[in-house]
Amino acid sequence: MSQAAVNTPPRKSFRESQFIVREEAILDATNRLLAIKGYEMMAMDDIAAEVGIAKGSLYKHFESKEALGAAVMIRLLRRTRAALDGLPSD
C-alpha cells in the first residue's frame, strides 16, 4: 500500500456529505434568524422554514433549540479563533 493511500482519509458517502451540508444550512439560517428575531422570539419552526426542511428533520441534527443555539455559538467562536490565529503576532 502506498504512503498516499495510508494518509488519505476515507471519502464520505453522499448521504454523509448531504447531512453535513444540511447542518451548515441550519446553522446559517439560525445565525440569520438570531440576528433578526433574537433567541427568545426565534422558533424551531422558523428555522425549519428558512432552511426548507421539515421540523422533524431539524431534530435529526439538533435535539433542542438550546443545542442549536450552542452549536451556532461554538461555530462562531471557532471562526473567531481561526481569524485571530491568522493575524500577525505583532
Side-chain angles (χ1 to χ4, degrees):
M1 186 179 292
S2 73
Q3 184 66 21
V6 171
N7 292 332
T8 304
R11 280 183 53 173
K12 289 181 175 48
S13 71
F14 179 76
R15 185 181 194 114
E16 290 170 318
S17 296
Q18 288 299 105
F19 188 87
I20 292 167
V21 167
R22 185 177 301 120
E23 198 159 274
E24 285 298 313
I26 292 167
L27 293 172
D28 290 342
T30 302
N31 202 39
R32 281 191 303 276
L33 289 170
L34 282 169
I36 295 167
K37 292 185 168 203
Y39 182 78
E40 292 299 322
M41 297 300 294
M42 179 186 71
M44 295 296 268
D45 287 321
D46 298 328
I47 298 163
E50 180 82 11
V51 178
I53 61 174
K55 186 176 174 181
S57 295
L58 184 58
Y59 283 104
K60 289 180 183 177
H61 293 269
F62 300 96
E63 65 184 29
S64 66
K65 181 179 170 181
E66 293 80 13
L68 182 50
V72 167
M73 293 305 298
I74 290 168
R75 185 175 76 160
L76 175 63
L77 291 171
R78 285 185 179 146
R79 288 179 174 179
T80 302
R81 175 70 186 257
L84 291 173
D85 288 345
L87 294 175
S89 60
D90 57 339

